[in-house]
Amino acid sequence: MNTARNVPELFGSMVFNETVMKERLPKDVYRKLKKTMREGTAIDADVAAVVATAMKDWALSKGATHYTHWFQPLNGISAEKHDSFISPTDDGGVMMEFSGKELIKGEPDASSFPSGGLRATFEARGYTAWDPTSYAFVKDGSLYIPTAFCSYTGEILDKKTPLLRSMEAISAQACRVLKLFGKEVRHVTTTVGPEQEYFLIDKRDYAKRKDLIFTGRTLFGAKPPKGQEMEDHYFGSIRPRVAAFMQELDEELWKLGIFSKTKHNEVAPCQHEMAPVFTTANIATDHNQLTMEVMKRVAQKHNFICLLHEKPFEGVNGSGKHNNWSLSTDTGENLLEPGRTPSENAQFLLFLTAVIKAVDEYQDLLRISVASAGNDHRLGANEAPPAIVSMFIGDELQAILDAIESDADYTDMTKTKMDLGVSALPDIPKDTTDRNRTSPFAFTGNKFEFRMLGSAINIACPNIMINTAVAEELRLFADELESAADFESALHELIKREIKAHKRIIFNGNGYDDAWITEAEKRGLLNLKSTAEALPHYTDEKNIRLFATHGVYTRIEMESREEALLEEYYKTLHIEALTMADMAREEILPACTTFQNELAQTARNKKEVGVSNTMEVDLLRKVCGLTEELYRKCGELSDAIAQAPQADAKRLSNYYHDMVIPIMNAVRQPADDLELLVGKKYWPFPTYSDILFYV
Ligand code: ADP
Ligand code: MG
């Protein structure tokens, strides 16, 4: 097949999209469905029935036999339960059926999804509700219906619903602000383009390592002689085997209507990246979840395993995800595009100020939105942004903000009215390379790039935080400006005041520099170093108030989310600790014993025949010492796991962070030293050199 020619035909071919809807739905049904999609109104039963039948017929033509309500539970993975379309007929046969009711609502037995205690009482079931704003699609013989997931008491149990709510919140407030600039805008969309990093390793190596199988990362492994220091991988030529994978990945993603655009090698050996063209935030979220799934599946076909863990290998870069974020009106205006006219400038600067204020006031939420056991290995590790949230805006914008802030210019500004110190903004170069890779939250010309995300994370959470926090600032700004006697001077006052109050969050320097940690502390910025430290701030009163104000989360929902996240954190560490002890005891220690035995025999034989055995004896001593140490530390690790207190999720998270992680590090040390001393043929699993430099 000539893919190059067929892309337009291939693209979206497995999606129940506009074209298919127009083709297969009666005009009035299509119109009603569009209205629902646009306005988020409830859909009536007749319309749902017609849509369901059309969807089913289309899905059957694409080879589907089943349907599933696809949703995103609190733990990163998408969930699905497949039902077939079959329905028995009187004569003992079957027909393929799908009703409106089945389309709109599903009742998965949801008791095993994390809920943070929400469904702990009598009602263990939840239901899924169709989200008509995201297209249904066919994958692996099933019709996938994007849905939201709720408990019967109405609390939301997924990540999709709060994302949609946050998008509504920011849209409403942005429209209010735009009205002040004389613009009648009906809707403002949040646009998102997530860049996804991943590792590809050979399936055979993976199958031999329990740590990769159970935890997604290596818990042991000495540094190979070569790492990423030659910088020969990034943008380097792509290995044919990987190129074949990437080509198939693109095709599969295109079929699902995902705008896979860029592919290249990343910094670490075996590391790669895929970037899509940006789209509406909820669709970008669905697409990113799908992308991760498709990556894993296509990798298997090419005898690879796709690792999405944030830090699969010590000593080389881990994987992140850059969340490019902006706001766009239904009239096609990007609100983070610096303007050409004085009035456009003022509007741009107001939105910029809202983002600056939001990031400063809700640093904790941004940090929390990217907190996970896996991402803890990256943040602050000189390869990813530090755990301190700060913003990069570049010299050009900095100069403008400085001018606004200084009083002298202010007099000037009142004279020149709306131009806020400059009649037109200078061209702000859009960076094609990342101008400041060390910044957690960087302005890149016409969007912000949030760079703290871990590769495995669901992008819904970070976007919920950004949307809601910015919505709140826009709400306050609109309140103030709507009641102002003189809009223009009130606008000046507001921007000047807020820049002064929140400029501490702006840092255009090198985030990897130790001096920044000290400086950030002086500025009073948060430095939440671990997930255990960060997560409990989720339910700080100011945050509960924020989400309640905008109808995104209730207090109960937030409390349950915090608990679910903490649980996920310590359970991850628990599994890692168990796996580590297991590998050491069952694989490494026996291998060391065999090697020691061989050394001892050789030493004895050599002595017998009267030749020097210094090397064997010396090596034996070293290996024995390290083996003893490994054995001892393993005991300590098992004790620490056994002694974990019967406590709530918060205390357990602290326990695993403070008590278990240090011992895990202490177990790894002698094991990695041993790997370098024990003969290759004795070592029980593939090493970093084997895995990262396969051919
Ligand atoms: P780089 O980050 O390497 O400079 P680009 O500027 O091309 O690369 O874009 C990176 C990502 O940002 C892409 O996924 C792109 O689609 C996305 N992006 C570009 N413009 C916007 C926007 N207005 N809103 C959201 N994402 C955007
Ligand atoms: Mg980028």
Side-chain angles (χ1 to χ4, degrees):
M1 184 179 80
N2 183 346
T3 331
R5 204 176 52 233
N6 282 327
V7 174
E9 212 176 290
L10 200 66
F11 191 83
S13 58
M14 299 306 254
V15 183
F16 192 75
N17 57 19
E18 287 303 312
T19 323
V20 183
M21 283 187 221
K22 267 195 198 134
E23 221 172 77
R24 291 185 173 252
L25 294 175
K27 261 208 179 76
D28 60 320
V29 172
Y30 173 76
R31 246 189 304 144
K32 283 182 189 156
L33 180 60
K34 284 300 289 179
K35 188 171 148 69
T36 301
M37 290 169 75
R38 215 174 34 240
E39 294 167 15
T41 47
I43 192 155
D44 45 270
D46 309 354
V47 175
V50 179
V51 176
T53 306
M55 247 188 212
K56 178 207 66 189
D57 291 341
W58 170 82
L60 293 178
S61 79
K62 297 288 173 187
T65 51
H66 288 66
Y67 69 91
T68 180
H69 276 202
W70 181 61
F71 63 97
Q72 299 169 22
L74 301 191
N75 58 356
I77 315 141
S78 316
E80 47 197 75
K81 170 189 143 218
H82 300 258
D83 282 300
S84 72
F85 291 121
I86 65 164
S87 165
T89 54
D90 290 341
D91 57 1
V94 292
M95 39 184 232
M96 302 303 256
E97 270 187 348
F98 186 47
S99 70
K101 227 176 101 208
E102 285 166 317
L103 165 65
I104 293 182
K105 197 162 166 178
E107 302 187 23
D109 177 11
S111 52
S112 50
F113 292 108
S115 67
L118 258 186
R119 277 170 294 115
T121 47
F122 59 98
E123 184 50 272
R125 287 164 73 87
Y127 66 90
T128 50
W130 178 35
D131 162 23
T133 63
S134 182
Y135 297 133
F137 55 92
V138 167
K139 182 168 84 73
D140 306 325
S142 278
L143 168 69
Y144 280 68
I145 302 155
T147 53
F149 180 35
C150 304
S151 76
Y152 265 106
T153 42
E155 284 90 10
I156 44 177
L157 295 169
D158 70 343
K159 294 182 171 170
K160 176 69 153 306
T161 315
L163 175 65
L164 292 170
R165 291 178 181 173
S166 74
M167 290 168 68
E168 280 316 306
I170 197 168
S171 172
Q173 302 305 331
C175 287
R176 279 179 71 197
V177 166
L178 288 170
K179 199 166 185 188
L180 293 165
F181 288 91
K183 290 182 186 165
E184 284 298 334
V185 167
R186 297 237 314 266
H187 204 267
V188 170
T189 357
T190 323
T191 52
V192 168
E195 303 164 57
Q196 176 73 46
E197 291 180 341
Y198 60 96
F199 278 84
L200 279 185
I201 64 167
D202 196 279
K203 212 181 203 168
R204 283 165 304 184
D205 291 334
Y206 173 87
K208 290 183 197 137
R209 293 203 55 141
K210 278 192 195 162
D211 48 5
L212 286 174
I213 294 171
F214 292 133
T215 75
R217 74 178 181 105
T218 54
L219 300 168
F220 298 101
K223 259 201 176 135
K226 183 180 170 187
Q228 61 189 39
E229 56 282 279
M230 303 295 278
E231 298 179 342
D232 49 1
H233 191 63
Y234 191 61
F235 282 145
S237 72
I238 297 169
R239 267 189 277 223
R241 226 183 120 185
V242 174
F245 158 84
M246 286 177 167
Q247 186 184 343
E248 191 173 339
L249 175 66
D250 274 344
E251 283 166 22
E252 290 303 314
L253 294 177
W254 290 336
K255 280 187 204 165
L256 293 171
I258 297 171
F259 310 97
S260 175
K261 174 88 174 160
T262 321
K263 51 187 180 186
H264 61 80
N265 287 347
E266 260 298 331
V267 175
C270 295
Q271 194 185 27
H272 313 281
E273 181 183 295
M274 188 288 277
V277 179
F278 70 94
T279 177
T280 314
N282 63 321
I283 294 174
T285 304
D286 284 359
H287 282 180
N288 185 249
Q289 288 298 105
L290 272 176
T291 297
M292 293 192 284
E293 273 176 46
V294 174
M295 277 178 169
K296 287 189 170 172
R297 188 163 45 87
V298 174
Q300 295 258 12
K301 277 180 70 182
H302 292 258
N303 288 319
F304 283 125
I305 293 290
C306 172
L307 300 177
L308 291 170
H309 193 283
E310 282 79 8
K311 193 75 180 180
F313 305 100
E314 218 41 63
V316 295
N317 276 9
S319 298
K321 185 137 66 184
H322 288 178
N323 188 83
N324 294 273
W325 178 93
S326 190
L327 292 169
S328 170
T329 66
D330 57 1
T331 47
E333 181 183 354
N334 178 351
L335 295 175
L336 292 177
E337 181 84 51
R340 295 245 157 247
T341 65
S343 149
E344 280 173 4
N345 280 343
Q347 182 193 306
F348 164 74
L349 288 171
L350 188 64
F351 278 97
L352 179 72
T353 306
V355 180
I356 292 171
K357 182 164 186 253
V359 175
D360 186 30
E361 288 183 338
Y362 298 100
Q363 298 162 45
D364 48 353
L365 286 181
L366 291 179
R367 171 66 184 87
I368 286 162
S369 76
V370 298
S372 71
N375 212 19
D376 276 2
H377 296 282
R378 287 175 68 242
L379 297 179
N382 268 18
E383 56 169 275
I388 306 163
V389 175
S390 70
M391 291 172 86
F392 168 87
I393 58 165
D395 298 338
E396 299 84 0
L397 276 183
Q398 187 62 59
I400 294 162
L401 297 190
D402 289 346
I404 294 172
E405 209 197 315
S406 70
D407 272 332
D409 280 3
Y410 178 59
T411 354
D412 260 341
M413 275 191 294
T414 42
K415 263 188 273 151
T416 44
K417 295 267 167 115
M418 293 282 272
D419 70 8
L420 292 158
V422 269
S423 57
L425 291 181
D427 267 343
I428 294 165
K430 293 207 182 65
D431 68 7
T432 42
T433 63
D434 303 76
R435 270 200 297 177
N436 186 337
R437 289 179 139 260
T438 68
S439 175
F441 206 97
F443 184 68
T444 48
N446 58 1
K447 62 184 190 296
F448 275 99
E449 189 167 336
F450 185 28
R451 302 205 180 106
M452 291 171 89
L453 285 73
S455 47
I457 225 167
N458 182 319
I459 63 169
C461 291
N463 288 300
I464 291 166
M465 306 298 192
I466 304 173
N467 290 349
T468 315
V470 175
E472 172 63 3
E473 309 307 355
L474 292 174
R475 180 182 76 86
L476 295 172
F477 290 0
D479 282 353
E480 181 176 335
L481 295 173
E482 277 168 1
S483 59
D486 177 3
F487 173 64
E488 283 158 27
S489 58
L491 182 65
H492 282 152
E493 270 310 319
L494 185 151
I495 293 181
K496 192 178 135 190
R497 182 189 72 221
E498 298 300 350
I499 292 301
K500 226 186 199 118
H502 299 289
K503 65 178 177 184
R504 64 171 186 166
I505 197 74
I506 300 171
F507 175 63
N508 293 317
N510 179 7
Y512 293 171
D513 200 337
D514 281 342
W516 166 232
I517 312 276
T518 326
E519 165 68 16
E521 202 172 305
K522 249 189 256 156
R523 294 187 188 189
L525 299 180
L526 288 171
N527 186 3
L528 301 169
K529 293 193 199 75
S530 72
T531 299
E533 206 180 320
L535 283 178
H537 288 284
Y538 191 51
T539 45
D540 285 356
E541 279 307 313
K542 80 172 204 333
N543 297 335
I544 289 183
R545 217 178 311 124
L546 169 76
F547 288 114
T549 305
H550 295 276
V552 173
Y553 289 126
T554 62
R555 177 187 293 270
I556 296 178
E557 285 165 351
M558 290 186 70
E559 283 165 354
S560 67
R561 252 146 236 266
E562 180 180 303
E563 189 173 324
L565 290 166
L566 284 165
E567 247 175 47
E568 187 177 350
Y569 172 74
Y570 78 75
K571 283 182 181 165
T572 303
L573 292 177
H574 181 72
I575 293 168
E576 287 186 353
L578 286 178
T579 307
M580 194 166 204
D582 210 61
M583 285 173 81
R585 265 201 209 99
E586 288 183 358
E587 300 183 55
I588 303 178
L589 289 172
C592 293
T593 309
T594 312
F595 183 59
Q596 285 164 21
N597 190 41
E598 187 110 331
L599 280 175
Q601 268 179 23
T602 312
R604 209 182 304 119
N605 291 349
K606 277 181 147 180
K607 195 176 170 198
E608 230 173 79
V609 297
V611 295
S612 160
N613 61 6
T614 326
M615 187 276 265
E616 284 78 10
V617 171
D618 185 53
L619 187 55
L620 183 58
R621 263 196 204 108
K622 280 186 192 150
V623 172
C624 284
L626 287 165
T627 310
E628 291 286 334
E629 193 189 333
L630 176 59
Y631 177 73
R632 228 176 19 249
K633 295 290 176 205
C634 249
E636 285 176 31
L637 184 58
S638 297
D639 289 346
I641 301 169
Q643 282 156 19
Q646 293 281 341
D648 60 12
K650 191 168 147 185
R651 269 193 59 207
L652 270 169
S653 294
N654 283 328
Y655 178 81
Y656 274 89
H657 178 264
D658 300 343
M659 309 302 290
V660 179
I661 289 181
I663 305 178
M664 287 175 70
N665 294 336
V667 170
R668 178 168 185 152
Q669 188 68 55
D672 287 358
D673 291 345
L674 279 165
E675 186 198 308
L676 298 174
L677 295 178
V678 173
K680 174 124 184 86
K681 71 168 186 183
Y682 299 87
W683 203 250
F685 40 74
T687 64
Y688 276 20
S689 304
D690 299 330
I691 300 172
L692 293 173
F693 298 93
Y694 69 87
V695 281

Coordinates of all heavy atoms in Angstrom, one line a residue, residues 195 322 434 449, ligand 2:
E195 N 3.3 16.6 23.7 CA 4.4 15.9 23.0 C 4.7 14.7 23.9 O 4.9 14.9 25.1 CB 5.6 16.8 22.9 CG 5.4 18.1 22.2 CD 6.4 19.2 22.4 OE1 7.6 18.9 22.1 OE2 6.1 20.3 22.8
H322 N 5.3 17.2 27.2 CA 5.1 18.7 27.2 C 3.7 19.0 26.8 O 3.2 18.6 25.8 CB 6.1 19.3 26.2 CG 7.5 19.3 26.7 ND1 8.5 19.8 26.0 CD2 8.0 18.8 27.8 CE1 9.7 19.6 26.6 NE2 9.4 19.0 27.8
D434 N 13.5 24.5 22.0 CA 13.0 25.0 23.2 C 14.0 26.0 23.7 O 15.1 25.6 24.0 CB 12.8 23.9 24.2 CG 11.9 22.8 23.7 OD1 12.4 22.0 22.9 OD2 10.7 22.8 24.1
E449 N 3.9 26.3 27.5 CA 4.3 24.9 27.4 C 4.6 24.4 28.9 O 5.6 24.9 29.5 CB 5.6 24.7 26.6 CG 6.0 23.3 26.3 CD 7.0 23.2 25.1 OE1 7.1 24.1 24.3 OE2 7.8 22.2 25.1
Ligands
MG2 MG 8.3 21.3 23.0

